[in-house]
Amino acid sequence: MKRRFITAALFSLSLCIAQAQKKPNIIIVNFDDLGYADTEPFGMTGVATPNFNRVAQQGMRLTHFLAAQPVCSASRASLLTGCYANRVGISGALMPESKVALNPKEETIASVLKKAGYKTAMLGKWHLGNQAPFFPTHYGFDSFLGFPYSNDMWPVGFDGRPITDPGNVRRTWPPLMLIEGDFPVDTIRTLEDQRMLTTLFTDRAVSYIKESAQSSFFLYLAHPMPHVPIAVSEKFNGKSGI
């Protein structure tokens, strides 16, 4: 009996040590153009955000935060590298025809964590390079599903109609491509197509979290909305009442 007790105690101690040594999982959720008071913990009224509420109640709510720049590409470069964006050659928002990209030699959160034994994944809006080899899988991410840039950088107006005005530069932009790894896997041509995007990235994120439960992982989920054009799924259409 005593030997069994000692064996059980050693097993329990080993389990506790193993659990203590497991690196914490890290998830960054970045909503494009979400305002400070667009969730209930920060003042939203009229739109229920129960999951944000639970995170705020069980974790920490930060009330003072400064982005490196208030614009797409630059702020993302700073978020991922920890550098002022202009110092790594990124300023403003990269356009579809831009030849600029974040230098793959830059260290990112993903590349640092990958060296530390983490699984890494990105979903959503990248906006730091418009073509391979300047997609996330070349910056420390094991996998990527998303867009090269913003969801309004396509030849479609906010009314959902193709742009025909020859003076509008957006008329010359290509359709919005959904990229997996380095390759296009789908084309987003209409506002109806965009209605599935938030659900797509959310479902993939949930699946990734469940599949990676036994590993230390880093997930960067960069939702393309509520950046315009806003396209809501049927499940949530009309829920806000505004």
Side-chain angles (χ1 to χ4, degrees):
M1 179 65 71
K2 187 174 182 179
R3 181 176 295 174
R4 290 181 180 176
F5 174 77
I6 293 173
T7 301
L10 289 173
F11 174 77
S12 298
L13 179 60
S14 299
L15 183 61
C16 289
I17 292 174
Q19 290 176 337
Q21 290 178 339
K22 184 179 184 298
K23 302 178 182 71
N25 297 326
I26 302 171
I27 302 172
I28 295 177
V29 184
N30 187 5
F31 291 86
D32 200 347
D33 277 4
L34 186 73
Y36 178 89
D38 284 348
T39 62
E40 286 185 302
F42 292 88
M44 167 64 78
T45 59
V47 178
T49 58
N51 293 321
F52 282 101
N53 301 350
R54 187 170 61 185
V55 170
Q57 291 164 0
Q58 297 179 359
M60 183 180 296
R61 185 174 67 93
L62 305 179
T63 59
H64 185 79
F65 177 81
L66 301 176
Q69 288 191 32
V71 68
C72 299
S73 299
S75 61
R76 291 161 198 271
S78 294
L79 171 66
L80 290 178
T81 66
C83 300
Y84 286 116
N86 293 65
R87 295 187 65 182
V88 294
I90 301 294
S91 61
L94 302 181
M95 298 293 109
E97 68 274 11
S98 176
K99 304 301 181 183
V100 176
L102 181 66
N103 190 332
K105 294 182 179 179
E106 293 290 344
E107 289 276 20
T108 67
I109 301 173
S111 61
V112 171
L113 290 175
K114 189 171 182 177
K115 292 175 183 176
Y118 276 72
K119 293 177 58 179
T120 58
M122 184 191 165
L123 296 164
K125 174 183 167 180
W126 172 236
H127 218 163
L128 290 173
N130 296 341
Q131 58 187 3
F134 303 108
F135 291 147
T137 51
H138 300 273
Y139 297 83
F141 290 98
D142 295 323
S143 61
F144 167 61
L145 177 68
F147 302 127
Y149 34 70
S150 298
N151 62 316
D152 68 332
M153 292 183 175
W154 63 337
V156 179
F158 295 126
D159 58 2
R161 299 176 181 177
I163 295 173
T164 57
D165 179 4
N168 190 331
V169 67
R170 293 171 60 198
R171 184 179 67 89
T172 65
W173 289 348
L176 192 62
M177 304 301 297
L178 184 66
I179 307 294
E180 185 155 20
D182 275 351
F183 304 100
V185 292
D186 202 353
T187 304
I188 309 301
R189 300 183 183 277
T190 66
L191 286 179
E192 188 65 27
D193 292 339
Q194 290 214 25
R195 288 165 65 93
M196 61 86 174
L197 297 179
T198 300
T199 299
L200 171 66
F201 296 134
T202 300
D203 287 348
R204 286 289 290 262
V206 172
S207 296
Y208 181 82
I209 292 168
K210 291 179 177 178
E211 293 165 0
S212 306
Q214 302 306 313
S215 306
S216 294
F217 67 84
F218 168 52
L219 172 62
Y220 174 38
L221 171 59
H223 275 299
M225 297 179 206
H227 190 289
V228 292
I230 298 174
V232 63
S233 67
E234 189 62 35
K235 179 181 179 180
F236 293 102
N237 192 24
K239 295 292 185 181
S240 67
I242 57 177

